[in-house]
Amino acid sequence: MVMNPEVQASNNTQDQVTQHPKDINASKKLTVAQFVNQTATRIPSFSKIQNRTRTENLITLTQEQIDHGSDIRPYLQQKNYKKLLKIAETMTLLRQYDSLTKGLTREEVSYFLKILVDGQLKEIENHNQVKFIASTPEYKTMIQKSKENAYIISFLYLNLIKEGFKFTPHEYELFLTLESKNYRTQQAIELIHHMESNQIPSSLKFWNLKLSIVGDADPGNWNVTSPYYTLSKRGNHGGFERKTQFGNLLQDFSQQIGDMVPNLESHKLILLGSGKHNLLDLARHHINDFWGISPQGKSSELNAKVEPNSPLY
């Protein structure tokens, strides 16, 4: 799949999702009870973690890295988000990435990307804390600037992908988190397709993000009409359609997670997705089979797959 950073969200999302080969699972489908039994047997027991002495590894820079990375490295050491973002913007505008790809070690590139994404997500967090008490022009300017910053980071990694730069699975998950938290659903789904078509190894975090994005399990994307609750305009993307059925996605998840153990976030997304798609029986059975809570609200520890003192309870 060729990802075009210049393309905005379009109405062809439905076709793109339909074409994805994993949207329809031809293998044997699992019931909710089978899924719970399959995953509950892999819940780890708690054990003491022994302290291990870490040896600091000194990184020796090549002359090329010293020459090309001298403009970035000081800001990297300072964790200066704004300066690094400006550098990313300049690199993207000029389509020149030598200071990043040749000037930094691989570990420094990863750290550079993390500072950018974490910084932009922190902006969103700060904006959300004041969105209900501020609708001034200054606030709107802040929101617009934050969106522009997200685009800068997106353009950077998308152009690097086009240049053939190899990102790690963790870095891809970082980009997917960026798109998801900024409600850029179209871009997030394209990135998921790119990862899967290029067989990027998946983790539990990836699957949680996929459940949230493709399964529409993020309430921020729901079109809610209520006199008591209103979604932010940025998050209200009613009309976005997905061809993947949530039940099929959940079965795909249960069959591909391997040795990964679903965490509390996974179970929360399963319940949110079930509720969003009106699969209430699935939600009730999941709660009953996993936590031992019946549809009538009665709790039975004997029927629960997890112990009351577990973080998953």
Side-chain angles (χ1 to χ4, degrees):
M1 171 182 172
V2 178
M3 302 181 66
N4 185 357
E6 311 265 337
V7 175
Q8 302 294 327
S10 61
N11 295 326
N12 64 350
T13 304
Q14 185 171 352
D15 294 333
Q16 291 179 0
V17 179
T18 304
Q19 294 172 358
H20 193 251
K22 290 188 178 181
D23 285 346
I24 299 177
N25 198 315
S27 59
K28 182 180 179 181
K29 296 182 179 180
L30 298 180
T31 64
V32 174
Q34 289 173 328
F35 169 71
V36 172
N37 286 328
Q38 176 180 320
T39 57
T41 57
R42 296 197 297 272
I43 297 175
S45 58
F46 292 96
S47 60
K48 294 182 179 180
I49 300 176
Q50 296 180 345
N51 293 326
R52 292 178 295 180
T53 303
R54 290 186 176 183
T55 303
E56 296 295 336
N57 295 320
L58 298 179
I59 300 176
T60 302
L61 301 177
T62 65
Q63 188 60 47
E64 184 178 41
Q65 290 170 339
I66 293 174
D67 294 339
H68 287 90
S70 58
D71 293 337
I72 300 180
R73 194 163 286 109
Y75 300 127
L76 198 63
Q77 295 170 344
Q78 299 167 10
K79 301 180 183 179
N80 194 322
Y81 162 66
K82 291 185 178 180
K83 291 290 187 181
L84 294 176
L85 184 68
K86 186 63 179 178
I87 291 174
E89 182 180 19
T90 301
M91 285 191 296
T92 303
L93 290 173
L94 299 177
R95 298 293 194 273
Q96 295 178 359
Y97 306 102
D98 284 356
S99 57
L100 181 70
T101 58
K102 295 182 179 180
L104 301 182
T105 65
R106 192 60 187 81
E107 293 81 3
E108 287 176 322
V109 171
S110 187
Y111 190 46
F112 174 85
L113 298 170
K114 178 174 172 54
I115 291 175
L116 290 181
V117 174
D118 286 351
Q120 200 279 333
L121 296 182
K122 184 64 176 178
E123 289 179 341
I124 295 178
E125 180 182 339
N126 293 338
H127 296 161
N128 287 339
Q129 291 175 353
V130 299
K131 68 179 180 181
F132 293 115
I133 59 175
S135 57
T136 62
E138 292 80 7
Y139 173 74
K140 294 179 180 179
T141 300
M142 289 169 52
I143 291 293
Q144 183 60 37
K145 183 61 178 176
S146 180
K147 290 182 179 179
E148 292 174 0
N149 293 344
Y151 275 105
I152 290 171
I153 302 170
S154 295
F155 285 146
L156 175 65
Y157 80 75
L158 289 172
N159 281 315
L160 285 172
I161 289 175
K162 291 179 64 177
E163 294 286 334
F165 189 83
K166 301 299 182 182
F167 289 111
T168 66
H170 175 73
E171 289 164 350
Y172 273 113
E173 291 166 3
L174 196 67
F175 305 147
L176 198 54
T177 301
L178 172 76
E179 306 299 356
S180 174
K181 294 296 184 181
N182 282 275
Y183 295 102
R184 286 161 45 85
T185 310
Q186 166 74 16
Q187 189 63 57
I189 287 183
E190 288 185 2
L191 186 56
I192 289 173
H193 286 183
H194 171 81
M195 293 174 66
E196 293 183 330
S197 62
N198 286 274
Q199 298 182 331
I200 305 298
S202 61
S203 67
L204 182 61
K205 182 174 183 179
F206 166 79
W207 272 105
N208 284 346
L209 287 165
K210 185 175 180 179
L211 284 173
S212 175
I213 297 164
V214 180
D216 202 11
D218 181 355
N221 270 322
W222 299 352
N223 190 0
V224 177
T225 302
S226 168
Y228 308 105
Y229 181 73
T230 304
L231 290 175
S232 65
K233 293 182 179 179
R234 183 189 60 200
N236 191 348
H237 287 278
F240 183 87
E241 298 180 2
R242 298 165 176 80
K243 273 295 184 182
T244 302
Q245 296 297 319
F246 186 76
N248 291 342
L249 181 62
L250 182 57
Q251 289 155 11
D252 195 13
F253 170 55
S254 68
Q255 293 169 3
Q256 295 195 33
I257 57 175
D259 294 330
M260 294 181 284
V261 180
N263 56 18
L264 198 59
E265 177 72 9
S266 309
H267 295 293
K268 182 188 79 171
L269 292 168
I270 290 171
L271 295 178
L272 284 170
S274 300
K276 174 61 170 63
H277 296 277
N278 201 30
L279 302 174
L280 301 185
D281 284 342
L282 189 153
R284 293 189 188 102
H285 289 154
H286 192 76
I287 293 172
N288 185 38
D289 291 343
F290 203 81
W291 289 283
I293 302 174
S294 70
Q296 292 74 32
K298 296 180 180 180
S299 177
S300 174
E301 295 181 7
L302 296 177
N303 296 331
K305 301 300 181 183
V306 293
E307 297 179 357
N309 61 349
S310 168
L312 295 179
Y313 189 77

